[in-house]
Each structure stands twice: as structure tokens, then as C-alpha cells.
Amino acid sequence: MNKNYYVLIMAGGVGSRFWPVSRTQYPKQFIDFFGVGKTLIQSTYERFLKICPAENIFIVSNEIYTDLIKEQLPNLSENQIMAEPLLRNTAPCIAYGCLKIAEINPNATIVVTPSDHTIADLPAFTETIEQSLKAASENDCLITLGIRPNRPDTGYGYIQHTDHVLNTDKDLHKVKTFTEKPNLELAKSFIQSGDFLWNAGIFIWSAKTILNAFSNHLPDMYDIFNAGRSELNTPREKSFINNAYLQCTNISIDFGIMEKADNVYVLPADFGWSDLGTWASIYDMAEKDYVGNAVIPSEQVVMFDSSNCMVNVPKDKLVILNGLHDFIIVESNNTLMICPRDEEQKVKEFVAEVKSRFGNKYI
């Protein structure tokens, strides 16, 4: 196990698309959606224990989730939990995390990953990450993982790559363009071209390379954090970060650096990845009965003439369905949501309406 390998897990999202189970005070990364005894952030943490020492794994999240992180990942030290005072998108948290790690080990090579994705093929995932870490440690490059698409999906961003490969690794292709979530016709053309991949939002780079990228492409942000680098990993870190975030712009790492840098490479991968962006993605990955119903994790669900439904309610709740087809039924904290599976995009509208009528009581 390479002691120069580090992991930065981003765990600050609020997950409103999974309302009412996921709420501001208890978002999706802290939930066990599949009834397997592990939450998404716990599963993410455990995946990387095969790749680097436990003390090299850091979590960056909103400060309101610090207690949840300590509860679910009790082996983390205080210094491994990085609390953001404000939501400022991915660029500031990555600048903060990578600079903090660089102060501990200037020779670090770092994986930056979301906390709420699922991986079906763990050996393939581990092999892909280790290949990327090796390449990033030996080359001045920014690596992102691209998932080989199996359908024209409008819910993902896309990465277009060229035939030019990194000199030490024929699998790493130079990135040509990034495209945000396209319409269906454009997504179909991407699939047909054969040189587009889904953007998994997982990055690998050396500490030196990413900090140089911040200096070149987001110099103001780099200066904000670099000015207090001696404060990092000390009792003064929290005070410095609270002030630094007040000065940071709200910008993603994709827009701030990855779309601008000329040393970005993508590694095509296939390890059963899902970003769990919708209830439909939960349904797709869940076990189903012979008529397509997925029940998670309740043990008291009775169905009559019902098919292709997903039920997610507490184990102690009795649910009886009759004549429902292609519906999502979700209940949490005495809040019930029922909607057709093909209208799931309206969940955000439901949340907005609930908030307008009842305030933040149920959000």
C-alpha cells in the first residue's frame, strides 16, 4: 500500500432529489438506501481502505454534518474531517483539501471523489484507481474517470476524448471537450460517435499538479488558501477556513480548471458505476420481484395487481398497494410521497411547493 496515496471524499451535498428520505439535516450520503447495513459514505470510505492507509483518507463536508460523519466514520481523527462553513461548490473544497494534504505530504497523489456513488465491481474499481494514481504520480497531468455509456442518458455530463494518449499509458486519452447534461438528440449523437464518456466526477492528480492548476486558472482562490497554508493541520485551521470561504467565489472544479487546463486526461472505465442521482437509479440497482417491484427495506409490504413499483419506507410501516404500476412510494418521518416513475423530475417541484407552504419543517 503506497503511503503517498491520499483520498479526499466530498460529502457536502444536500440531496434534495431524494426527498423525503434525504433532507437538509440528513442528506443522502448518510443513508442506507439498499438496506445493506452501510450508508453511502461508509461504503465509499471502505472502498478506499484497499488503496491507501486509513489515516490518508479525508472527508470535506458542510460543518453541520460533522457530528454525522463522526458517528458513521468513528475511526477518523479530528484532522481528517474538514468542515466547510459555507456551500461554495467543488473548487474551493478541493483547493482546501489538496493544499491541506500537500502540507502533510508534498509528494502526495490524491483521489477526489463524491461520497454518494455506488460501485458494483470493486476489483475493477480498485484496479482503475491504482492505474490512475500511478500515472498521476509519474506525470504532470489531471486525470478524470469517464464511464463507458450504455445508453443516451440526459442526466449525465459527457467527456469527449481524442486519440492522443498519455505517453506512459495507452488507456489515458487527452480530453477534448466537456459537455453539461445534453438533450436527448445530442446524447444520441454522442453515443454514436464513440468518443464520448459519462463524467463520473472522480479526479486523480498529484498535489503539485493540482495546486499549479489552481495557481494558473483560479489564481485568486489559490492565493486565498495559500496565504494560510501554515495554519492548516493546526488548531488555527478552522478560524482561517471560516474567513477564507467568505472570500471564495462559488465555482465548480470542472468549470474553473478542468475545462481550461491543457493537461487533462480521461481514463475510460467500467466498474458498475452509478451516481444515484434519482429514485429511478435506486430502482435500477435494487433487487426486484418477478413483476418488477423493488421493496427497500420494509418487511411489511403487501401488493395486489401492482408492478414495476419502488417502495422505500421504514421497516415497521405496513404498506398495501392495489392496482399501482410504475410508481415510486417513499415515506420518511411521517411524510409520504407518491409519484409516477416517469414524472420523477417533479420531485424538486414537490420540495419547492412544500417549502413555500410549510417552510423548512419538512425539508
Coordinates of all heavy atoms in Angstrom, one line a residue, residues 11-12 25 60-70 81-87 238 241-242 245:
A11 N -18.4 15.4 0.7 CA -19.7 14.9 1.3 C -20.5 16.0 1.8 O -21.2 16.0 2.8 CB -19.3 14.0 2.5
G12 N -20.6 17.1 1.0 CA -21.4 18.2 1.4 C -22.7 18.5 0.8 O -23.5 19.4 1.1
Q25 N -31.0 18.2 6.9 CA -30.3 17.8 8.1 C -29.8 16.3 8.1 O -29.0 15.9 8.9 CB -31.2 17.9 9.4 CG -31.6 19.3 9.7 CD -30.4 20.2 9.9 OE1 -29.5 19.9 10.7 NE2 -30.4 21.4 9.3
V60 N -14.4 16.1 3.4 CA -14.7 17.5 3.4 C -16.2 17.6 3.2 O -16.8 17.1 2.3 CB -13.9 18.3 2.3 CG1 -14.2 17.8 0.9 CG2 -14.3 19.8 2.4
S61 N -16.8 18.4 4.1 CA -18.3 18.5 4.2 C -18.7 19.8 4.9 O -17.9 20.5 5.5 CB -18.9 17.3 4.9 OG -20.3 17.3 4.8
N62 N -20.0 20.1 4.7 CA -20.5 21.2 5.5 C -20.4 21.0 7.0 O -20.6 19.9 7.4 CB -22.0 21.5 5.1 CG -22.5 22.8 5.6 OD1 -22.8 22.9 6.8 ND2 -22.7 23.7 4.7
E63 N -20.1 22.0 7.7 CA -19.9 21.8 9.2 C -21.1 21.3 9.9 O -20.9 20.7 11.0 CB -19.4 23.2 9.8 CG -20.4 24.3 9.7 CD -19.9 25.6 10.2 OE1 -18.7 25.6 10.6 OE2 -20.6 26.6 10.3
I64 N -22.3 21.5 9.3 CA -23.5 20.9 10.0 C -23.5 19.4 10.0 O -24.3 18.8 10.7 CB -24.8 21.5 9.4 CG1 -25.0 21.0 8.0 CG2 -24.8 23.0 9.5 CD1 -26.3 21.4 7.4
Y65 N -22.7 18.8 9.2 CA -22.7 17.3 9.1 C -21.5 16.7 9.9 O -21.3 15.5 9.8 CB -22.6 16.9 7.7 CG -23.8 17.4 6.8 CD1 -23.5 18.0 5.6 CD2 -25.1 17.4 7.3 CE1 -24.6 18.5 4.8 CE2 -26.1 17.9 6.5 CZ -25.9 18.4 5.3 OH -26.9 18.9 4.6
T66 N -20.7 17.5 10.6 CA -19.6 17.0 11.3 C -19.9 15.8 12.3 O -19.3 14.8 12.3 CB -18.8 18.1 12.1 OG1 -18.4 19.1 11.1 CG2 -17.6 17.6 12.8
D67 N -21.0 16.0 13.0 CA -21.4 15.0 14.0 C -21.8 13.7 13.3 O -21.6 12.6 13.8 CB -22.5 15.5 14.9 CG -22.0 16.6 15.9 OD1 -20.8 16.6 16.1 OD2 -22.8 17.3 16.4
L68 N -22.5 13.9 12.2 CA -22.9 12.7 11.4 C -21.7 11.9 10.9 O -21.7 10.7 10.9 CB -23.8 13.1 10.2 CG -25.3 13.2 10.5 CD1 -26.0 13.8 9.2 CD2 -26.0 11.9 10.9
I69 N -20.7 12.6 10.4 CA -19.5 12.0 9.9 C -18.8 11.2 11.1 O -18.4 10.1 10.9 CB -18.6 13.0 9.3 CG1 -19.2 13.6 8.0 CG2 -17.2 12.4 9.0 CD1 -18.5 14.8 7.5
K70 N -18.7 11.9 12.2 CA -18.1 11.2 13.4 C -18.8 10.0 13.8 O -18.2 9.0 14.2 CB -18.0 12.2 14.6 CG -17.0 13.4 14.3 CD -17.0 14.3 15.5 CE -16.0 15.4 15.3 NZ -16.0 16.4 16.5
I81 N -11.4 15.3 9.3 CA -12.7 15.9 9.0 C -12.6 17.4 8.7 O -12.2 18.1 9.6 CB -13.7 15.6 10.1 CG1 -13.8 14.1 10.4 CG2 -15.1 16.2 9.8 CD1 -14.7 13.7 11.6
M82 N -12.9 17.8 7.5 CA -12.7 19.2 7.1 C -14.1 19.8 7.0 O -14.9 19.4 6.2 CB -12.0 19.2 5.8 CG -10.6 18.6 5.8 SD -10.0 18.1 4.2 CE -10.1 19.7 3.4
A83 N -14.4 20.8 7.8 CA -15.7 21.4 7.9 C -15.7 22.7 7.1 O -15.0 23.6 7.4 CB -16.1 21.7 9.4
E84 N -16.6 22.7 6.1 CA -16.8 24.0 5.3 C -17.9 24.8 6.0 O -19.0 24.3 6.3 CB -17.3 23.6 3.9 CG -16.3 22.9 3.1 CD -16.9 22.6 1.7 OE1 -17.7 21.7 1.6 OE2 -16.5 23.3 0.8
P85 N -17.6 26.1 6.2 CA -18.6 27.0 6.8 C -19.7 27.4 5.9 O -20.8 27.8 6.4 CB -17.8 28.2 7.3 CG -16.7 28.2 6.3 CD -16.4 26.8 6.0
L86 N -19.5 27.3 4.6 CA -20.5 27.8 3.6 C -20.4 26.8 2.4 O -19.4 26.2 2.1 CB -20.1 29.2 3.1 CG -20.1 30.3 4.1 CD1 -19.4 31.5 3.5 CD2 -21.5 30.7 4.6
L87 N -21.5 26.7 1.6 CA -21.6 26.0 0.4 C -21.0 26.8 -0.7 O -21.5 27.9 -1.0 CB -23.0 25.6 0.1 CG -23.7 24.6 1.0 CD1 -25.1 24.4 0.6 CD2 -23.0 23.3 1.0
K238 N -9.5 26.1 11.6 CA -10.9 26.4 11.5 C -11.2 27.9 11.3 O -11.9 28.3 10.5 CB -11.7 25.9 12.7 CG -13.2 26.2 12.7 CD -13.9 25.5 13.8 CE -15.4 25.9 13.9 NZ -16.1 25.6 12.7
I241 N -10.1 28.9 7.8 CA -11.0 28.5 6.7 C -12.3 29.2 6.8 O -12.9 29.6 5.7 CB -11.2 26.9 6.9 CG1 -10.0 26.2 6.5 CG2 -12.4 26.5 6.0 CD1 -9.5 26.4 5.1
N242 N -12.8 29.5 8.0 CA -14.0 30.3 8.0 C -13.9 31.7 7.3 O -14.8 32.1 6.6 CB -14.4 30.5 9.5 CG -15.0 29.3 10.2 OD1 -15.3 28.3 9.5 ND2 -15.0 29.3 11.5
Y245 N -13.4 31.1 3.3 CA -14.6 30.8 2.5 C -15.5 32.0 2.2 O -16.2 32.1 1.2 CB -15.4 29.7 3.2 CG -15.1 28.3 2.7 CD1 -13.9 27.7 2.9 CD2 -16.0 27.6 1.9 CE1 -13.6 26.4 2.5 CE2 -15.7 26.3 1.4 CZ -14.5 25.7 1.7 OH -14.2 24.5 1.2

